[in-house]
Amino acid sequence: MDIVRRIEQTMMREDLPSVDVGDTVRVKWRFNEKDRSGEEKSRVQAFEGIIIAKKGTGISESILVRKISSGIGVEKSFPIHSPNLVGLEIVTKGKVRRAKLYYLRDKKHLVVKKRSRF
């Protein structure tokens, strides 16, 4: 098993900030698409929302991000160490007392206390 851990260590990303549940983040994700002529093109799309859950450890770590778009709640799961993850930016740090914020699914507006700097 030591060989597997060494291979995982080479694939883990060190360039991303440390994020916690409750933080508002902007995730930039690369999509590969085929256009009408059949050529494969890639584009980057940003997804901004609140992290409501973190799962896994090591190379399999992922976050679940929720936002409200046109009055409809949208959730996406992003693997942290994926090569398709172009960027991860923290918009605001949140202060929460739970590890999973699934209760935000029932709320109309996403409200999380912000950490004070003082």
Side-chain angles (χ1 to χ4, degrees), residues 87-118:
L88 181 65
E89 177 185 338
I90 299 174
V91 178
T92 58
K93 294 291 275 182
K95 183 180 179 184
V96 294
R97 295 182 179 190
R98 302 280 181 264
K100 310 286 187 200
L101 303 181
Y102 296 138
Y103 65 88
L104 290 179
R105 293 173 175 165
D106 299 330
K107 302 285 183 187
K108 290 278 188 184
H109 303 286
L110 298 177
V111 177
V112 178
K113 287 187 178 179
K114 296 178 184 176
R115 292 183 183 160
S116 65
R117 294 184 181 179
F118 305 104

Side-chain angles (χ1 to χ4, degrees), residues 10-60:
T10 61
M11 300 175 102
M12 289 183 64
R13 297 181 60 169
E14 302 293 330
D15 61 333
L16 299 174
S18 175
V19 293
D20 296 318
V21 175
D23 293 349
T24 302
V25 293
R26 185 175 297 122
V27 180
K28 294 181 181 174
W29 190 260
R30 179 181 295 120
F31 289 97
N32 295 324
E33 304 175 315
K34 289 187 179 181
D35 62 358
R36 292 181 182 167
S37 63
E39 291 182 38
E40 190 164 312
K41 294 185 177 182
S42 66
R43 66 182 179 94
V44 176
Q45 184 178 23
F47 189 87
E48 185 174 338
I50 295 177
I51 298 176
I52 63 170
K54 281 177 72 173
K55 286 195 260 187
T57 59
I59 196 89
S60 64

